[in-house]
Structures are given as C-alpha cells and as structure tokens.
C-alpha cells in the first residue's frame, strides 16, 4: 500500500497553516459574542476587528470596507442579488458576467434573469480570456453591474480586471470581481483594480472553511442577503464567527508577508511540472493563458485518457488532483470552463487540474513526474481511441 | 489515513480497475467473430467489445474502453462473467448483475455498467449478422434510448406508467436527454407509443 500523500488540489481547498491553526485554537477560547458589550464580547470583538484590518491590508482597502460573510458563495450572492433591491440604482439594470465564472455566480445570474434582470454572459477565447470586443458591445448605460472573476479556479487564467473596470465606469456601472482564487496568490489591490466589490474566501488561504470576506467600496450600494441582525452594519445578520474570522486574519497576514516569495516558488514548481509532463507524456495539451495564469495552477488535457481514471490511478499512488471530467462528479457534462474555451467534450473529459500550494515541494513534483507517465500509458492501452487517431 | 479509506468504490471495483481482465490488446490479431462499439466520447464513455463464439457459447470476450474507473471495472467484470456462457444467457446479462458482482456502484455510475452489457449485445448482434443467423434475442431485452445517461425504453415506459407523461417529465424522472439531448426524437417517439398504449392522460 502506498504510504506517501501529495496534495495537488489546493484550488479546491487548502490545508490549515500551522500558524493559522494555532491562532484558531487560541481564538476558540474567545467565546464571547463579539456583539456583546461586556468584557467577553469586547475581547472577541477586538479579535474580529484586528482580522478585519489584516484582510483589508491584504486587499488594499479600508477596514470598514470589509464585511465578513459565511464564504465566497455568500459574498457573491450578496452582491449579485443586491441588484434586485428596489433601492439599487437603476434597479433591474443589466448584469454582465462571463461563461467561466464559478457556479455561484452563474446560477445567481440565472436566478436574476428569472426576475426580469437582463443578463449578458461573455464568451472567452481558447486561453480563457474574456472577449473584450463583445464586452464593449454589451456595455451601455443600462448596465447596473459587471461581475468578472479575477482568476479562474480551473485553468488559472487571470482577467484584466482593471481594464474591465475602467470601461464599466465610463457607463456608470458597478464592478464586482470574484477574487477567491487570486487573493494571496497574486497581488490584489482594490484601488489598482478599481472594483466596487471583491470576494475573498478564508479556506483558499490556509484558514478554516465557512468564512469569507466581501469588500464593498464606500458608498457602493449593497443590501443584505441574510436579514435578522445588526451585525456587520446590518448587511449580514448572524452571530459573528469570531474564531474563524481571527484565523482568517492570521492567514491574510501570512499570505501578504509571503506573497512575493511564494509567487516565485510556485511558478517555478508549476514550470517544472508543466515541462516534466510535456517531456514525459505524449499527446497532452496545457490549458489556460500561457502568461496571465495563477502561479500554482496547471490544467492539462490528456488525449485518449479519461480524467476520472487518471484521478483515481493517481489517488492509488497517494496523489490528489481534480478533474474536468464530469464522470468524477456524477454529472456527465464536462467542465463548463473547458467547454467555454471551445474545447471538445472528448478532450475535456481527459483533463486534470494540478493546483499547487504553500506546502508542496519540488520532491513532490518529482514524485508526480515519476508516477504519471506509466498511469497515462496504462489507461491509453485500454482506450478505444488509438494514438493514431490522436495524431490526426 | 490510508488510500483504502479514500477509495470511493468497492475493493472489487478497484481490483478490476487496477488489474483489468481480458483487455483487447490487439484487435487485428484477436480475430473476433463479432464486435460491438457503443457509447459516445462526448459523454465520456465509449466501449468496444469483441467476442469469439464456439458451439453457441462465448469462448472469449475482450474489450477496450475510454471511460472512468467504474466503466473499466464493469466491462472487465462483465468479460469474466460471460466467458463460457451461452449466447442467449450472455445477451440477457443485466447491468444490475454486473454491478452486484462488483459489490455495487454509486447510483450516478450506473450508466457505466449499462454500456458494458450493451457493448456485449452489440457484439453478439454483429456475430449473428455476420453469420447470417436470425437474432432471436432482440425483442426480449430493453434498448438503450439515451446513451449518455443509459436510459432504456423500458425505463421510459415505467416512468410513463408512474405519471411522467411529457418529455420534460421523462427527463426529470429518468435523466434521459439531459446531457447531449440527441435522444429527444427517440424518447418522444416512445412517448407517442406509450400514449397510444396507455392513453394520453395516463397517471
């Protein structure tokens, strides 16, 4: 039995950083309700406000512009569903988003549509970048909100948010970016990006699950998704999750201090992994943008080998990855992101995402490069598609 | 923590996935008496089944598949089960029998084993046709209508009888036509037949 475990699925979620874990455990003793006025409440409140400052520092915002939520999906839902509020400027104005967003954006956009909100879904090119010409065509003064993700969770492509925001502002539209995959991995500054709203999530930053942040520029309209309390300035009801938020603050502080060196280190590991796969496995395709890509995300399509078979074969060797193949998730439709890049369903079914993180090492990449080629070879030997067809 | 704990399928599935039996290494040298190719690459599952027949029995069954772990395991298991079986018995092997022999598959993986038995059936059909023999089995088995989800005409009939009397209701009840949608015409034709048999407002 294999005794080695390698985690290359950091875009799905990250392990707890030991420092964050220690801070989290300490914070569990701050059991007071941060909304209470007594000493116990004040202690917890102090921790939450410290964390707010750390998250704000990582995003280049003011602490009062940070709202804590239950996670990335909740932050995204809060922004998008705000356009339904009667007091949202140009209520039922148009919403522009993209075909490669996370389902919590795409499904919320579909929900808005059912309420009569016009929604434009922008296509992307083969490298995952939005079609700027189409974007400009869709922009007019009826647009209420533009929501484009900063970096894609599957293929890692980074969008030109500052350019997108600049164009939107010319038409008076508000701009949101789902930056869940970008925060802590690439420099993220709300002033440089010129966005009005930005979503971040703690568990992508080596902190616990169940807590997210929503940056809201001062004065930008926002309405609560969850009613029933005065917490977070009345914008997000519910007892504040003090310990997780404090851990989030700790994670944000650490991500900020390690940003530059981790970017360089992960990019080096990604390059090694990419070059190693290209050198040892024939008939593969690297997905995503060649330069504007997350440093630790490598998405690869393997011709004539199905994704779930690759995933489970790697799992037997102790290597965890994820797949764009629908068969692994129970649906038969392959990844909407890969399909949006114009990839054939056949090829999308054979795609694997390797996402590296803070705790991955060069030795682990070597281990993958040792185990992967024979796995692909073995699966291809059983495949109905011959190598001959692949080359055609 | 061990990999055993992490494995999502039964040990039997894992065994057949890691050590697949009867893989068709070289189609040309095998000299099959009948071959069948089923499934669609777009759905992520495609299977090739090749058989040799001796005295009305399956002497050898070889296969290839582009598919997930359960597709590979179920075809491997099926190839072992049908070897030595009469053509008639092999023709009637069901996905349920294959999945049971594997110790079960998750519900959403059922379509993988459906394609395995359908591939075998296509290979038997091919053998009978090549030898100018009448096919006495076709009418006694269900036919796949939706290849992506593995929905049979019998499943559509059962859903109709249970109250799914529109195309949309059939989709909801069986999953047919929810992936590539190419089976819509076939499904609607079956619906029409059902309406004729049971009445349009059957519930």
């Amino acid at each position: 039995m294999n005794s080695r475990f390698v985690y290359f699925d950091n875009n799905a979620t990250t392990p707890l950083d030991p420092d964050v874990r220690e801070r989290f455990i300490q914070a569990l003793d701050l059991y007071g309700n941060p909304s209470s006025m007594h000493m116990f409440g004040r202690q917890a409140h102090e921790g939450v406000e410290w964390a707010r400052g750390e998250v704000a520092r990582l995003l280049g915002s003011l602490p009062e512009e940070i709202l804590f939520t239950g996670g990335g999906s909740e932050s995204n839902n809060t922004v998008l569903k705000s356009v339904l509020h009667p007091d949202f400027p140009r209520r039922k104005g148009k919403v522009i988003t993209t075909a490669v967003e996370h389902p919590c954006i795409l499904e919320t956009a579909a929900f808005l549509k059912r309420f009569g909100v016009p929604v434009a879904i922008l296509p992307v090119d083969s490298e995952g970048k939005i079609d700027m010409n189409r974007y400009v065509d869709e922009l007019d003064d009826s647009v209420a909100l533009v929501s484009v993700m900063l970096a894609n969770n599957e293929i890692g492509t980074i969008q030109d948010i500052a350019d997108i925001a600049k164009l939107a502002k010319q038409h008076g539209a508000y701009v949101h970016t789902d930056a869940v995959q970008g925060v802590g991995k690439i420099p993220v500054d709300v002033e440089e990006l010129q966005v009005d709203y930005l979503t971040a999530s703690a568990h992508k930053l080596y902190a616990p699950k169940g807590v997210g942040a929503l940056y809201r520029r001062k004065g930008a309209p926002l309405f609560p998704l969850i009613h029933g309390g005065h917490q977070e300035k009345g914008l997000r009801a519910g007892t504040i999750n003090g310990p997780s938020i404090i851990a989030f603050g700790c994670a944000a502080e650490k991500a900020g201090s390690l940003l530059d060196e981790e970017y360089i280190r992960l990019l080096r590991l990604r390059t090694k992994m990419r070059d190693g796969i290209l050198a040892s496995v024939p008939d593969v395709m690297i997905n995503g943008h060649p330069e504007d890509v997350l440093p630790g995300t490598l998405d690869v399509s393997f011709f004539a080998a199905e994704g779930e078979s690759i995933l489970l074969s790697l799992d037997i060797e102790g290597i965890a990855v994820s797949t764009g193949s629908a068969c692994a998730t129970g649906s038969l439709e392959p990844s909407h992101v890969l399909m949006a890049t114009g990839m054939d369903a056949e090829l999308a079914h054979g795609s694997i995402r390797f996402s590296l993180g803070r705790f991955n090492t060069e030795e682990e990449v070597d281990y993958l490069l040792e185990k992967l080629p024979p796995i692909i070879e073995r699966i291809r030997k059983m495949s109905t598609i011959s190598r001959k067809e692949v080359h055609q | 923590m061990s990999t055993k704990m992490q494995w999502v399928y039964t040990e039997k599935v894992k065994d057949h996935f890691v050590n697949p039996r009867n893989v068709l290494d070289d189609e040309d040298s095998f000299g099959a008496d009948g071959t069948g190719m089923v499934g669609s690459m777009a759905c992520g599952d495609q299977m090739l089944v090749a058989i040799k027949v001796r005295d009305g029995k399956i002497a050898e069954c070889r296969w290839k598949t582009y598919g997930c772990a359960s597709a590979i395991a179920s075809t491997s298991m099926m190839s072992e089960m049908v070897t030595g079986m009469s053509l008639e018995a092999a023709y009637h092997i069901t996905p349920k029998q294959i999945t049971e022999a594997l110790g079960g598959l998750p519900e959403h993986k059922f379509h993988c084993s459906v394609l395995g038995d359908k591939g075998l059936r296509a290979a038997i059909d091919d053998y009978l046709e090549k030898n100018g023999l009448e096919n006495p089995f076709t009418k006694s088995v269900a036919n796949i209508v939706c290849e992506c989800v593995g929905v049979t005409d019998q499943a559509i009939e059962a859903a109709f009888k249970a109250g799914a009397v529109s195309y949309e209701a059939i989709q909801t009840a069986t999953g047919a036509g929810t992936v590539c949608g190419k089976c819509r015409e076939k499904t609607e034709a079956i619906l029409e037949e059902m309406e004729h048999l049971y009445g349009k407002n059957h519930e």
Side-chain angles (χ1 to χ4, degrees):
Chain A
M1 187 180 292
N2 175 67
S3 58
R4 189 165 182 162
F5 297 99
V6 177
Y7 187 74
F8 285 144
D9 200 15
N10 288 276
N11 284 14
T13 195
T14 51
L16 268 183
D17 182 283
D19 293 337
V20 175
R21 186 175 185 275
E22 198 184 322
R23 192 69 187 264
F24 180 51
I25 289 168
Q26 284 169 4
L28 287 170
D29 288 330
L30 296 173
Y31 58 84
N33 189 323
S35 303
S36 300
M37 290 177 72
H38 49 62
M39 184 183 68
F40 299 91
R42 288 200 309 276
Q43 276 181 339
H45 175 79
E46 198 180 310
V48 168
E49 292 315 308
W50 168 80
R52 202 185 303 278
E54 288 304 323
V55 173
R57 196 144 66 103
L58 185 64
L59 303 179
S61 75
L62 299 169
E64 57 267 34
E65 291 174 315
I66 299 297
L67 173 75
F68 287 116
T69 67
S73 295
E74 187 191 313
S75 295
N76 287 341
N77 267 261
T78 304
V79 176
L80 262 70
K81 286 177 182 168
S82 278
V83 303
L84 288 175
H85 197 279
D87 295 335
F88 194 94
R90 287 177 300 155
R91 180 176 165 242
K92 292 202 177 178
K94 187 168 157 182
V95 170
I96 298 178
T97 187
T98 85
V100 293
E101 299 294 315
H102 187 274
C104 70
I105 292 281
L106 288 172
E107 288 179 27
T108 307
F111 176 81
L112 298 181
K113 219 171 161 181
R114 292 211 296 275
F115 282 83
V117 175
V119 174
I121 310 279
L122 297 173
V124 296
D125 63 19
S126 60
E127 291 168 344
K129 287 265 193 180
I130 69 161
D131 183 335
M132 288 301 270
N133 290 328
R134 267 292 295 277
Y135 174 51
V136 171
D137 288 346
E138 293 288 354
L139 268 180
D140 59 39
D141 291 350
S142 77
V143 177
L145 181 72
V146 174
S147 179
V148 177
M149 73 189 341
L150 177 62
N152 188 265
N153 50 317
E154 290 188 38
I155 56 176
T157 297
I158 299 167
Q159 303 291 350
D160 305 313
I161 299 297
D163 294 343
I164 290 163
K166 196 175 163 190
L167 288 164
K169 299 284 158 142
Q170 289 170 6
H171 293 275
Y174 292 100
V175 181
H176 167 246
T177 188
D178 173 0
V180 162
Q181 293 292 346
V183 171
K185 297 175 190 168
I186 54 172
V188 174
D189 185 299
V190 291
E191 288 309 317
E192 278 176 26
L193 295 177
Q194 275 301 298
V195 291
D196 301 293
Y197 314 95
L198 181 143
T199 294
S201 175
H203 78 104
K204 310 287 187 186
L205 289 178
Y206 312 92
K209 290 149 189 69
V211 59
L214 174 56
Y215 157 79
R216 188 267 299 247
R217 184 177 294 278
K218 248 182 183 173
L222 189 73
F223 301 96
L225 185 69
I226 300 172
H227 298 86
H230 62 276
Q231 295 91 349
E232 299 298 273
K233 298 179 184 162
L235 288 169
R236 202 276 183 183
T239 302
I240 289 172
N241 184 355
S244 292
I245 288 171
I246 291 167
F248 189 6
C250 181
E253 183 185 28
K254 193 158 183 181
S257 68
L258 293 175
L259 190 66
D260 293 344
E261 64 177 91
E262 269 299 273
Y263 182 91
I264 293 165
R265 194 184 72 87
L266 287 177
L267 196 61
R268 200 183 64 236
L269 287 186
R270 181 190 189 273
T271 306
K272 181 186 170 85
M273 189 186 276
R274 184 198 62 196
D275 294 350
I277 291 173
L278 286 171
S280 60
V281 185
D283 305 315
V284 300
M285 191 169 100
I286 306 295
N287 304 314
H289 197 276
E291 283 109 35
D292 294 344
V293 67
L294 289 173
T297 303
L298 182 68
D299 198 77
V300 187
S301 294
F302 297 88
F303 292 82
E306 196 270 343
E308 195 228 40
S309 290
I310 304 171
L311 183 150
L312 290 175
S313 299
L314 286 170
D315 183 54
I316 290 168
E317 300 295 348
I319 302 169
V321 297
S322 75
T323 170
S325 165
C327 224
T329 56
S331 151
L332 288 170
E333 290 174 77
S335 142
H336 72 282
V337 173
L338 297 176
M339 296 301 278
T341 63
M343 189 181 285
D344 289 341
E346 287 87 336
L347 191 51
H349 280 295
S351 302
I352 293 289
R353 178 185 72 188
F354 305 92
S355 48
L356 298 111
R358 187 175 294 163
F359 304 109
N360 290 126
T361 63
E362 199 163 333
E363 198 196 358
E364 290 177 335
V365 175
D366 287 333
Y367 180 64
L368 171 81
L369 293 174
E370 176 199 327
K371 295 293 175 186
L372 183 69
I375 285 173
I376 302 297
E377 185 65 26
R378 187 182 90 82
I379 292 170
R380 282 178 173 164
K381 268 189 182 164
M382 283 189 274
S383 178
T384 50
I385 315 161
S386 70
R387 195 68 60 78
K388 206 163 49 188
E389 286 169 88
V390 164
H391 285 296
Q392 277 172 356
Chain B
M1 190 168 63
S2 72
T3 49
K4 193 177 172 185
M5 282 168 66
Q6 294 173 317
W7 187 255
V8 292
Y9 301 123
T10 64
E11 282 300 307
K12 196 103 184 172
V13 174
K14 184 177 178 179
D15 178 30
H16 277 267
F17 171 58
V18 178
N19 308 297
R21 280 68 143 175
N22 304 314
V23 174
L24 180 62
D25 291 325
D26 184 0
E27 202 179 336
D28 297 333
S29 67
F30 180 63
D33 296 322
T35 57
M37 176 86 101
V38 294
S40 144
M41 285 281 296
C43 301
D45 277 322
Q46 189 177 56
M47 288 186 195
L48 171 70
V49 177
I51 53 167
K52 279 185 185 174
V53 181
R54 297 286 174 273
D55 305 323
K57 287 182 177 175
I58 306 243
E60 282 183 68
C61 177
R62 298 269 189 274
W63 57 274
K64 276 192 167 193
T65 185
Y66 172 87
C68 61
S70 44
I72 289 168
S74 63
T75 321
S76 168
M77 174 56 85
M78 183 272 294
S79 71
E80 278 199 330
M81 289 167 81
V82 300
T83 303
M85 222 179 232
S86 70
L87 285 184
E88 184 174 3
Y91 208 86
H92 290 90
I93 199 159
T94 64
K96 198 168 170 238
Q97 287 172 289
I98 298 168
T99 48
E100 276 173 6
L102 285 169
L105 282 176
E107 205 176 313
H108 68 271
K109 290 288 181 183
F110 195 68
H111 71 277
C112 309
S113 57
V114 173
L115 285 180
D117 78 301
K118 191 170 174 272
L120 173 69
R121 221 173 282 152
I124 297 173
D125 287 343
D126 183 51
Y127 162 75
L128 294 171
E129 201 186 316
K130 275 181 182 159
N131 289 278
L133 298 166
E134 202 184 320
N135 192 328
F137 318 125
T138 42
K139 284 183 184 162
S140 57
V141 294
N143 293 307
I144 298 282
V145 176
C146 171
E147 294 198 353
C148 297
V149 186
V151 178
T152 64
D153 49 0
Q154 285 180 352
I156 292 172
E157 184 173 357
F160 183 88
K161 283 181 176 173
V165 295
S166 67
Y167 176 72
E168 286 70 22
I170 292 286
Q171 277 191 310
T172 308
T174 65
T178 53
V179 184
C180 75
K182 282 180 191 161
C183 60
R184 182 172 187 139
E185 212 176 303
K186 272 198 268 181
T187 306
E188 286 180 334
I190 293 168
L191 259 178
E192 217 174 299
E193 197 183 320
M194 296 296 123
E195 282 169 11
H196 180 69
L197 283 170
Y198 302 106
K200 200 165 185 169
N201 298 315
H202 176 87
E203 276 188 32

